[in-house]
Amino acid sequence: METLGRVWNRLSIRRPTIATPEPVEEEDDMTPEKTREVFQMFNGTPTRRKSESAHHHRAILNQMENHQPRNATQSPKRQPRISESSMDTPGSSLRRNSTETHVFANRAHLHSDINVPACSSEDDRISTIRRNSLFVKRGSVTMEPIKKVDLEAVYTVNKQLGTGRFGYIKLAEHKQSKHRIAIKFFPRPQTKQTDFVREYNYSFFLSPHQNIIDTYEGMFQSSDDTAYFFVQEFCPRASLREAVEATNQAGIGEANTKKVFAAVLSAIEFMHDENLVHRNLKAENILIFDANDYSKVKVTDFGLTRKVDTTVKYLEYVNNYHAAELCDTVVNEKLVVNKSTDIWALGIIFFYCMKGKFPWQKASIMCKPYWEWEQWLKRKNPALPKKFNPFSEKALKLFKKSLTPRFKDRWSAKDMRKCLVKEKLLKSVKKPDEDYYVMIDTSTKSRPSAASTSNGENQEGAAGGAPATGERKQKSTLQQWISTTLTAMAEISEQVVSARDD
Ligand SMILES: Nc1ncnc2c1ncn2[C@@H]1O[C@H](COP(=O)(O)OP(=O)(O)OP(=O)(O)O)[C@@H](O)[C@H]1O
């Protein structure tokens, strides 16, 4: 069993002052596994097997911006080290990591007087350096000292953007560069240093992915010692929660849901490939950068992120996104971290995007809407709960494979992505007057196509075979049908009369 102190000594780096732990409610104990987990991140020692490592390289390369996807048989293309690529960039200062031979970019040259981040998503130059460097992943998980910063001197701190259980986020402007950034604060002494460091490391380590919030390099604490903080890119729009709420319980529609999920599942697939579980997926933690077309969507908040198989202690806190196994757990019960909890949360988010509300409050049989779903799932009741009626067979399969209490039966993020990308998610709904068109069809061959009667975004503008796009056309078709019917009735009555006469 390796103690915290020994790990620091082994890393042979300057040991930061570790704050005396305050009696805060712990989510998980500082087990030897956990200690290793946190501090393995600091020395960058690869813990994966060789095959996993190759897979990781492929995954990270394929998902980095500006990188051509390669097939699995190609060996990872060597990326120029920063030291090489920077030769033609005079003035770029490089810093050598104290524990590793990796060299990675330092943004100190941009703000040489005060070494604090000021980058924003617009800062393409720096983000490209990071996103193109293969070793950023290992470089990013290196332990650095927590620097004291006089907040007022460096930033103009503005309004609060959000608040959570562990801290709060504020909009700020970096005084020197005028960049708008988001600062995530962790109040002291409530926050343990290890929790702060862990969240920063996961956030920074995962940032190169295009659907994960960018976290800028550096861990800080305010000069008055009231909070730790790190800096992230600012999302100028809203979270998915706000976007859905703005629809007044109508949901964001099939096309937008597909866009959101393409981004979110790409991020979660990346995390799961790295054997990391987000554990706090919810609409509030999905940031929408463009409210109009959902073209830029990023996942944030890695405060609960843990490696697969980590043992954590359960806290008494249940939300709409919690899987059935979490809702049945008692306080302080130990749980083993599993990817399937993210899959459940994604199932809930999918329902929420499509319907504008949650399927249930709590995934417990004490909650009637959930109990009804479970009864149907276990075939104890053949009636599908009404709220699932609008969904297509494929979408129902997605629900069955995410919102199942049998966590081993749950899909992977990849399965979910395949289903969401390819399949139609809403049933084609028969319009009330479809029968009328069927009658027309037999006489006038002018029935609208099925596409124009489907529910969802395809309702309007369906192509091919739809005759009655305007009211006028419909009226004339109706007149035609009436006259055909009247003629037919006259013929029939004539035949009846003549038959009677015979
Ligand atoms: N970079 C950002 N730009 C704009 N708003 C943000 C940003 N990051 C977070 N927010 C907003 O702040 C809220 C809280 O942020 P975050 O989830 O990171 O805090 P937390 O304390 O970890 O919350 P939780 O209770 O979910 O753990 C988010 O729901 C989001 O609305």
Side-chain angles (χ1 to χ4, degrees):
M1 187 190 293
E2 206 165 18
T3 64
L4 215 61
R6 281 203 212 130
V7 177
W8 280 112
N9 293 339
R10 185 165 52 79
L11 297 179
S12 65
I13 51 178
R14 196 168 69 79
R15 184 179 173 169
T17 334
I18 297 188
T20 320
E22 295 294 320
V24 289
E25 193 176 14
E26 283 187 339
E27 195 223 356
D28 46 0
D29 288 331
M30 205 60 196
T31 58
E33 292 77 31
K34 184 175 151 188
T35 311
R36 265 196 298 278
E37 180 208 330
V38 176
F39 291 96
Q40 263 168 7
M41 296 194 303
F42 301 160
N43 67 3
T45 311
T47 52
R48 282 180 296 277
R49 293 191 305 274
K50 227 177 172 184
S51 58
E52 285 174 324
S53 167
H55 175 67
H56 153 73
H57 278 187
R58 275 196 300 276
I60 200 161
L61 279 170
N62 290 341
Q63 297 190 58
M64 299 281 176
E65 275 177 2
N66 314 322
H67 197 93
Q68 294 296 316
R70 294 167 304 106
N71 70 44
T73 53
Q74 285 174 290
S75 62
K77 190 173 150 194
R78 185 176 168 269
Q79 295 289 305
R81 293 173 75 98
I82 299 283
S83 51
E84 294 166 18
S85 60
S86 64
M87 281 185 187
D88 40 24
T89 320
S92 71
S93 76
L94 297 168
R95 177 160 58 86
R96 196 166 279 272
N97 177 339
S98 54
T99 58
E100 281 280 333
T101 53
H102 303 134
V103 181
F104 54 102
N106 181 12
R107 296 185 201 102
H109 61 288
L110 295 176
H111 320 287
S112 46
D113 53 337
I114 317 160
N115 184 18
V116 285
C119 307
S120 73
S121 52
E122 296 100 73
D123 204 336
D124 288 340
R125 190 161 47 100
I126 285 161
S127 106
T128 309
I129 291 172
R130 277 193 31 204
R131 282 160 201 263
N132 283 345
S133 76
L134 242 185
F135 52 88
V136 67
K137 181 177 168 261
R138 265 183 281 161
S140 69
V141 291
T142 308
M143 178 58 184
E144 298 162 50
I146 298 174
K147 293 177 205 134
K148 270 199 181 180
V149 168
D150 179 1
L151 267 167
E152 300 296 309
V154 186
Y155 305 103
T156 308
V157 182
N158 297 316
K159 65 171 183 181
Q160 190 143 320
L161 296 168
T163 176
R165 279 174 302 153
F166 307 109
Y168 51 95
I169 298 254
K170 284 195 169 186
L171 171 64
E173 187 184 88
H174 185 262
K175 285 187 172 170
Q176 203 176 14
S177 66
K178 303 277 180 238
H179 272 137
R180 284 197 302 171
I181 41 103
I183 305 184
K184 185 158 186 176
F185 290 98
F186 300 76
R188 295 187 68 192
Q190 298 95 309
T191 310
K192 287 201 292 180
Q193 184 173 300
T194 46
D195 290 336
F196 165 69
V197 169
R198 188 203 291 108
E199 178 163 346
Y200 165 76
N201 272 299
Y202 280 136
S203 306
F204 188 72
F205 158 67
L206 292 164
S207 317
H209 191 281
Q210 62 181 346
N211 301 115
I212 289 178
I213 195 86
D214 221 353
T215 298
Y216 305 127
E217 193 179 340
M219 287 183 284
F220 307 98
Q221 68 178 301
S222 56
S223 48
D224 59 3
D225 285 343
T226 53
Y228 295 119
F229 69 91
F230 58 74
V231 180
Q232 294 186 316
E233 73 183 298
F234 165 58
C235 168
R237 293 286 178 268
S239 72
L240 181 61
R241 176 81 186 228
E242 289 157 296
V244 174
E245 270 174 9
T247 68
N248 229 342
Q249 302 210 326
I252 57 171
E254 181 168 346
N256 289 334
T257 302
K258 282 189 172 202
K259 282 186 191 172
V260 169
F261 270 80
V264 172
L265 283 166
S266 171
I268 300 306
E269 219 179 305
F270 174 59
M271 287 185 71
H272 286 189
D273 280 349
E274 292 297 322
N275 256 354
L276 294 173
V277 183
H278 186 287
R279 295 181 65 234
N280 198 13
L281 283 173
K282 51 185 180 181
E284 292 88 328
N285 289 338
I286 295 169
L287 299 179
I288 315 289
F289 283 67
D290 186 329
N292 301 322
D293 67 354
Y294 294 85
S295 57
K296 190 174 171 190
V297 174
K298 297 195 176 193
V299 175
T300 188
D301 193 358
F302 302 94
L304 293 184
T305 299
R306 297 290 184 279
K307 280 189 176 170
V308 170
D309 290 339
T310 308
T311 305
V312 291
K313 249 192 212 172
Y314 180 72
L315 265 191
E316 191 183 25
Y317 163 74
V318 171
N319 64 29
N320 302 80
Y321 306 88
H322 275 178
E325 66 273 14
L326 298 178
C327 297
D328 290 341
T329 312
V330 294
V331 186
N332 284 339
E333 193 175 323
K334 286 193 173 169
L335 290 171
V336 175
V337 171
N338 193 299
K339 294 174 190 172
S340 63
T341 50
D342 281 351
I343 303 299
W344 178 290
L346 289 167
I348 299 283
I349 298 170
F350 172 57
F351 185 98
Y352 182 63
C353 285
M354 297 289 282
K355 301 269 293 182
K357 50 194 162 198
F358 292 102
W360 44 74
Q361 281 278 302
K362 186 179 172 182
S364 146
I365 52 167
M366 304 301 283
C367 178
K368 193 171 171 235
Y370 177 72
W371 178 79
E372 286 171 349
W373 164 255
E374 215 192 85
Q375 292 293 299
W376 178 78
L377 206 61
K378 292 180 174 169
R379 295 167 196 245
K380 290 184 180 166
N381 182 353
L384 176 70
K386 266 190 188 162
K387 58 174 66 128
F388 288 92
N389 275 344
F391 291 102
S392 68
E393 280 302 313
K394 296 289 180 186
L396 275 182
K397 182 150 193 204
L398 186 143
F399 285 125
K400 283 192 220 167
K401 292 290 182 182
S402 54
L403 304 177
T404 167
R406 285 205 294 264
F407 62 86
K408 283 187 182 156
D409 287 355
R410 285 180 211 152
W411 268 350
S412 65
K414 191 177 175 184
D415 297 328
M416 261 190 144
R417 185 168 50 82
K418 276 192 214 156
C419 175
L420 273 159
V421 167
K422 276 201 237 147
E423 309 295 348
K424 214 173 142 22
L425 307 172
L426 289 171
K427 267 184 204 160
S428 294
V429 179
K430 214 173 144 188
K431 275 188 174 173
D433 56 352
E434 182 155 303
D435 288 336
Y436 152 70
Y437 284 114
V438 172
M439 290 173 76
I440 298 285
D441 193 26
T442 53
S443 54
T444 65
K445 303 274 181 241
S446 57
R447 184 183 172 212
S449 75
S452 67
T453 61
S454 66
N455 195 359
E457 284 77 16
N458 295 342
Q459 268 185 14
E460 285 155 85
T469 46
E471 209 182 331
R472 218 154 37 115
K473 222 170 181 181
Q474 268 195 8
K475 267 189 191 159
S476 76
T477 316
L478 180 64
Q479 280 162 0
Q480 208 182 335
W481 177 76
I482 291 170
S483 76
T484 314
T485 311
L486 287 175
T487 316
M489 281 170 74
E491 274 173 20
I492 291 166
S493 65
E494 252 176 49
Q495 281 169 13
V496 170
V497 171
S498 70
R500 196 187 54 193
D501 290 350
D502 289 346

